[in-house]
Amino acid sequence: MNNNKIKLYIVDPNTTFIDRIEGLFFEKDEIGIKVIGSSTTNSAFEGDRQKIPQADIYIVSANLPDGTGIKIVDFLKKNSVTASKPIIFTIDKQTRNHATIARQRGVDKIFQKPFSIKELIQSIYTLTGSPLAETQPTPIAPKTKPASTKLVTRDSKPKQKKDKEAASIFRPAPAPTPSPSPSQSKPKAKESEKAPEKEIQNPFKTNKQDDLFNKIENNPLLNIQEVDTSVNQPNLTVKTIVTFTSVSSTGKTSLLVNVAYAIRKYAKIKPKICLLDLNLLFPSVAFHFLNNELKLARRDIYDISADLNYLNEDLLMEALTYHKPSGIYMLNTPAETEFIHKIGTIKAEQIERILVHLRDIFDVILIDTSNAITEDLVLFPMQFADKNLVVLEPNYLNVVGVNKFFYVLNRLEDSMKEPIISKTHILLNKETKNKSIYSDTARDFLYDKKFIVRIPEDPKFIDFANKGKFIVDSDSIATSSIVDLANFIYPIDPKEEKKKSKFPIFKK
């Protein structure tokens, strides 16, 4: 039994993922890695005070039921015992926006699921400074090429432990010099005759280890891709979070609701959609639906934010209002005056935790923000989202206001070292022949941006909204542009004849 194994701790919400890695390393001394602990939540990890300091390296998932993996990274980096220990951070297609923050907070390696077991093992060797890192080349994808003996190039140098005991995890016991094998006793003149793919002999490497690594590479039962294959299923819906923001009243809430409806109407695979109204002072998303068609929530955003340790999917579902005809959900943000004193209790941390849970449940999350462009409840969702939409009306004051807004985003981007402006887009609403903005004018003011869509003004829009109807169901001149915007947010791929036809579902 090798008592000098690299000690690994895993934090991941997927128990299958944890079980597969534990099974891979269990009683396999030749690999030299042992899973000493695992957790599926932030709170469980922070409570495991006995095993956390014992680990030599950590695998942390970006998405956890009670928060993000970034909090665990911060927890480890702030603790003097674990601050210098390497961290492998795992993301998927839905949490790729966490990668930049993770690097900034000090993670050593990032893997996007699914990934190769062999690559994972090699990274663990490299990051812990194990001599075994020098014996395992990166597998070459084309099978026709010979195996290379070139060492793997990593995006971070092997991390040397300050602790003497940790630095000598694989310290070999003194052993007599082995007698040379027939191949080793050949004259040096014969060296050039050796096959180029033959690896250099190393005291840490055995034939048994060679056989095991070949098995790992070829056996599908030991491939992490099996753990998280959902991201590769062609029929699975795409996950996306989008904010709708403006600097004044531009009709963005009516636009958001109609976009949500258009996605539900035209998508071949109906995505689950949730609307989140973060304009806490004047929440109005729910007013765009007829009250008698709503299944009202039993809780609200303030209830589920009161104690984040108790936030789970069941509790969150109790705070969702459901519109039966369209299949759209809304997080209950009450508009009554009595809730105004609670507005200040909602912070970015609460919103982050709520968004993490919503993303697990829904495919599309559309966020309606206020026009307070310097507040956390506007800036944090834009930082977290996959796309940001800034809505303008065709007037000069809107352009000036949005120019200031982009200035704030630019400062935030500089401080966070995370791309925000590149995923922020502008659209023009309520455009008429007499009221328009040239794209060149917009680019001059708005960080070289151009409008992704121009939505014509239709006087009937307000009438539809007041009656709880969707203008997308009409022959409005705005319908086609709204469907185009919906397609930009979520790939519904509508046909032209669909965009022009009527689909009345309301009798009123």
Side-chain angles (χ1 to χ4, degrees):
M1 176 68 69
N2 184 0
N3 294 322
N4 290 325
K5 289 185 177 181
I6 299 172
K7 294 181 282 293
L8 172 66
Y9 197 108
I10 306 171
V11 188
D12 196 284
N14 191 331
T15 55
T16 306
F17 177 90
I18 296 173
D19 291 343
R20 287 290 174 88
I21 296 181
E22 285 184 336
L24 173 67
F25 298 149
F26 183 67
E27 292 186 351
K28 295 183 177 66
D29 294 344
E30 55 271 35
I31 293 184
I33 301 172
K34 178 183 179 181
V35 178
I36 65 162
S38 63
S39 298
T40 57
T41 63
N42 268 286
S43 56
F45 174 78
E46 292 178 5
D48 197 356
R49 298 302 175 97
Q50 181 179 358
K51 294 179 180 178
I52 291 173
Q54 298 176 14
D56 302 306
I57 187 169
Y58 307 87
I59 296 178
V60 179
S61 171
N63 196 1
L64 297 170
D66 56 347
T68 68
I70 299 294
K71 293 184 178 180
I72 288 181
V73 173
D74 291 340
F75 177 88
L76 293 171
K77 292 301 179 182
K78 291 177 182 178
N79 190 305
S80 59
V81 177
T82 59
S84 62
K85 296 182 179 182
I87 301 172
I88 294 175
F89 198 71
T90 63
I91 60 174
D92 54 30
K93 289 185 178 181
Q94 283 72 54
T95 54
R96 284 179 296 185
N97 52 348
H98 292 224
T100 303
I101 301 176
R103 290 191 187 94
Q104 182 184 352
R105 302 293 176 86
V107 302
D108 301 87
K109 181 74 178 179
I110 295 177
F111 276 104
Q112 179 168 324
K113 297 178 182 179
F115 51 82
S116 162
I117 283 281
K118 194 169 183 178
E119 282 288 315
L120 174 65
I121 294 173
Q122 179 63 65
S123 292
I124 292 173
Y125 289 162
T126 303
L127 293 173
T128 56
S130 165
L132 288 171
E134 300 178 0
T135 68
Q136 301 302 330
T138 300
I140 299 176
K143 294 182 179 180
T144 56
K145 294 186 179 181
S148 172
T149 58
K150 186 177 179 181
L151 293 180
V152 181
T153 301
R154 298 294 166 191
D155 56 4
S156 59
K157 296 181 179 179
K159 194 160 187 173
Q160 302 295 331
K161 307 270 193 236
K162 295 181 181 179
D163 187 282
K164 292 183 179 180
E165 182 181 353
S168 58
I169 293 172
F170 272 87
R171 182 170 55 243
T177 305
S179 57
S181 63
S183 62
Q184 291 173 324
S185 60
K186 290 182 180 180
K188 291 185 178 179
K190 299 289 185 180
E191 288 289 324
S192 60
E193 299 177 7
K194 293 181 180 180
E197 67 273 19
K198 190 168 184 178
E199 296 179 10
I200 301 172
Q201 296 297 318
N202 186 290
F204 293 96
K205 189 172 182 178
T206 64
N207 290 333
K208 187 176 181 182
Q209 190 183 64
D210 278 341
D211 294 340
L212 181 61
F213 269 86
N214 288 333
K215 186 177 181 181
I216 289 172
E217 189 67 15
N218 299 319
N219 190 338
L221 296 178
L222 297 178
N223 192 319
I224 287 186
Q225 188 163 354
E226 285 195 359
V227 176
D228 191 11
T229 56
S230 61
V231 294
N232 289 328
Q233 294 177 3
N235 294 327
L236 193 69
T237 51
V238 179
K239 299 266 186 177
T240 185
I241 298 179
V242 180
T243 64
F244 279 69
T245 304
S246 65
V247 294
S248 63
S249 179
T250 57
K252 67 175 172 62
T253 305
S254 300
L255 201 57
L256 175 148
V257 171
N258 275 272
V259 165
Y261 179 74
I263 293 174
R264 286 285 302 177
K265 172 183 280 293
Y266 294 121
K268 292 180 180 179
I269 301 176
K270 304 301 181 187
K272 295 180 181 178
I273 297 183
C274 181
L275 308 184
L276 176 56
D277 195 338
L278 290 183
N279 187 4
L280 299 180
L281 188 60
F282 299 106
S284 59
V285 164
F287 294 148
H288 287 73
F289 300 86
L290 293 176
N291 191 66
N292 61 358
E293 294 177 343
L294 295 176
K295 181 180 178 181
L296 300 177
R298 291 184 292 172
R299 298 181 183 271
D300 57 51
I301 189 173
Y302 304 106
D303 293 331
I304 63 175
S305 301
D307 191 341
L308 295 178
N309 292 325
Y310 291 96
L311 181 58
N312 56 35
E313 182 175 331
D314 292 336
L315 186 64
L316 188 61
M317 290 300 293
E318 292 184 12
L320 295 175
T321 294
Y322 178 61
H323 182 246
K324 291 174 284 186
S326 66
I328 295 172
Y329 288 82
M330 292 160 276
L331 186 64
N332 181 21
T333 305
E336 290 79 5
T337 306
E338 62 191 86
F339 290 95
I340 290 179
H341 72 281
K342 291 187 176 182
I343 292 175
T345 64
I346 305 296
K347 307 294 183 184
E349 181 182 4
Q350 279 94 337
I351 297 302
E352 178 185 24
R353 192 76 62 88
I354 291 170
L355 286 174
V356 168
H357 280 283
L358 288 177
R359 182 165 240 164
D360 286 340
I361 302 171
F362 294 97
D363 306 304
V364 181
I365 303 167
L366 303 183
I367 305 174
D368 190 11
T369 73
S370 72
N371 57 11
I373 60 177
T374 59
E375 290 186 356
D376 285 347
L377 292 188
V378 175
L379 295 178
F380 176 77
M382 297 191 75
Q383 178 188 339
F384 192 90
D386 302 293
K387 295 178 182 177
N388 299 308
L389 301 179
V390 181
V391 184
L392 285 80
E393 280 191 0
N395 65 66
Y396 180 73
L397 290 178
N398 260 209
V399 174
V400 172
V402 173
N403 182 47
K404 292 182 178 180
F405 183 50
F406 271 100
Y407 173 79
V408 174
L409 290 182
N410 190 45
R411 295 291 298 270
L412 179 64
E413 186 174 88
D414 288 342
S415 63
M416 298 299 300
K417 306 300 181 186
E418 179 182 354
I420 299 176
I421 292 179
S422 61
K423 63 179 182 179
T424 302
H425 312 274
I426 57 173
L427 60 96
L428 191 62
N429 194 27
K430 302 180 182 179
E431 182 182 44
T432 65
K433 292 182 179 179
N434 298 326
K435 295 188 297 180
S436 185
I437 299 176
Y438 291 109
S439 292
D440 290 342
T441 304
R443 283 198 294 264
D444 289 343
F445 279 88
L446 306 177
Y447 287 72
D448 201 33
K449 295 282 184 180
K450 61 181 181 180
F451 299 115
I452 58 169
V453 67
R454 295 169 178 262
I455 300 174
E457 183 176 30
D458 187 339
K460 297 183 293 185
F461 210 124
I462 295 178
D463 185 54
F464 271 80
N466 289 341
K467 294 178 180 179
K469 297 181 179 181
F470 304 102
I471 203 165
V472 176
D473 272 332
S474 73
D475 57 355
S476 168
I477 58 174
T479 297
S480 178
S481 298
I482 293 174
V483 174
D484 284 339
L485 178 57
N487 191 49
F488 174 79
I489 292 173
Y490 186 89
I492 57 177
D493 193 23
K495 294 182 179 179
E496 197 66 28
E497 57 268 23
K498 282 186 178 182
K499 292 161 64 175
K500 293 180 179 179
S501 61
K502 296 182 181 181
F503 292 88
I505 63 171
F506 290 99
K507 295 180 181 179
K508 296 182 179 181

